[in-house]
Amino acid sequence: MGTNEDHADDRAAALLVREAMDRATAELPALADLVGPARTQGLRRKARVRAAIGGAVLAVAGLGLAGALVLPGDGDRGPSGSTGVVDVAAAPTTSGPPPPVHIEPTPGESSMADLPPAERARQENFQNRAVGVLQELLPPAVGTVQRIDLSVRQYQGTKDGKTFRIIFSVRPFEPGSTSQPCMNVRGMVCTKATLPGGIEGKAATSPINNGNVTESRLWFRYGSSDVSLSVNPHDESNTSAPVTSEQLLELAKTPAFLDLVKTADSDPLEKMQRTIVGG
């Protein structure tokens, strides 16, 4: 059943057609002066003109109605008083981080699910923020970066069915301890670079799994924390970590990555690693 608004539109369209017909035929010769065949011809001519004009007006009216019908429907209706024009550029295009990867803890191992709700939320927020930074700064070959819900330091990248485990850790160091030196041993290739603030950054590519593949790792000290970022190989396919030492050092120089480190250093997410002296 049509609404009152639909009937009003029909009446308006009919009135528009009638007025156009009247204007179009107003200047035709008066039919009262015609007789016989001439009168018949005049009637036919007037009918043709009215039909042609009526069809044109209906087409224009139909375009107007069609324009009204393509405006947003009930499920897409704009705010009251809107002109009906949808600004595509203004529509939100951002999306949240991909869902976390769930890994069941081994017997006796704790996970983020065991944390108090407030602390768990804090760590998850940091992880989601880290996912965005790592996704932007790591090479595309690492693939889609996701956080792992087992611990705040665990992430992974997935590309073409291959998974590369990522460890990003900012942990308070024990007073009196020293940072790991840069050494070229057992096939390890270590590189140094000066990061913003005069910090010495070190990165290395090391063979693992009997030398079949390599992992890449970055480390340095910031404030009161030991910072490390490592990308592991995909063992099943014997694929080395798809990132070089030089790329990790360039990543460590970016404001976005250092801002993450600063956040975790000022409000630690991990516990200090203590040195255990053997008896």
Side-chain angles (χ1 to χ4, degrees):
M1 181 182 294
T3 64
N4 291 335
E5 183 178 355
D6 293 335
H7 294 317
D9 290 340
D10 293 342
R11 289 195 296 271
L15 181 60
L16 180 63
V17 171
R18 181 179 297 277
E19 291 177 350
M21 288 179 178
D22 291 340
R23 288 196 301 270
T25 57
E27 297 181 1
L28 293 178
L31 295 180
D33 297 333
L34 300 176
V35 293
R39 179 180 179 85
T40 302
Q41 182 178 1
L43 286 171
R44 289 175 179 173
R45 179 184 176 192
K46 190 167 186 177
R48 285 196 302 269
V49 172
R50 291 173 67 90
I53 295 301
V57 173
L58 283 174
V60 174
L63 288 175
L65 291 174
L69 291 174
V70 298
L71 293 177
D74 292 341
D76 229 353
R77 194 177 302 277
S80 177
S82 169
T83 60
V85 178
V86 179
D87 186 0
V88 177
T93 57
T94 58
S95 59
V101 177
H102 176 68
I103 296 181
E104 284 291 329
T106 58
E109 182 183 23
S110 62
S111 72
M112 294 177 67
D114 301 317
L115 296 171
E119 178 60 20
R120 179 178 178 179
R122 184 175 79 95
Q123 294 193 13
E124 288 177 347
N125 288 338
F126 179 85
Q127 277 191 313
N128 287 331
R129 182 178 162 196
V131 164
V133 173
L134 295 175
Q135 185 70 76
E136 179 181 358
L137 299 178
L138 286 171
V142 174
T144 301
V145 178
Q146 295 170 269
R147 68 180 183 89
I148 296 176
D149 66 359
L150 191 61
S151 74
V152 70
R153 64 203 300 265
Q154 296 191 30
Y155 305 81
Q156 73 175 35
T158 305
K159 178 78 170 181
D160 298 330
K162 300 174 183 178
T163 299
F164 305 99
R165 185 64 62 86
I166 301 169
I167 304 297
F168 173 41
S169 173
V170 184
R171 170 179 287 181
F173 60 75
E174 186 177 6
S177 64
T178 58
S179 178
Q180 179 185 345
C182 188
M183 299 183 295
N184 294 303
V185 295
R186 298 190 303 275
M188 175 189 293
V189 179
C190 190
T191 308
K192 297 180 182 179
T194 301
L195 309 182
I199 299 171
E200 182 182 62
K202 290 160 276 191
T205 300
S206 308
I208 59 174
N209 297 349
N210 297 320
N212 294 328
V213 291
T214 58
E215 68 172 358
S216 297
R217 179 170 173 258
L218 160 79
W219 71 96
F220 58 91
R221 281 198 161 177
Y222 183 100
S224 302
S225 302
D226 277 325
V227 181
S228 65
L229 173 64
S230 62
V231 181
N232 297 322
H234 182 245
D235 296 333
E236 290 80 358
S237 63
N238 285 325
T239 303
S240 294
V243 58
T244 65
S245 302
E246 291 75 14
Q247 288 172 322
L248 288 179
L249 287 171
E250 288 303 312
L251 176 151
K253 297 176 183 179
T254 62
F257 182 75
L258 290 176
D259 194 43
L260 274 178
V261 171
K262 181 179 179 181
T263 297
D265 176 67
S266 61
D267 190 10
L269 297 143
E270 301 179 61
K271 294 181 179 180
M272 180 183 299
Q273 185 171 12
R274 300 284 185 178
T275 302
I276 300 177
V277 180

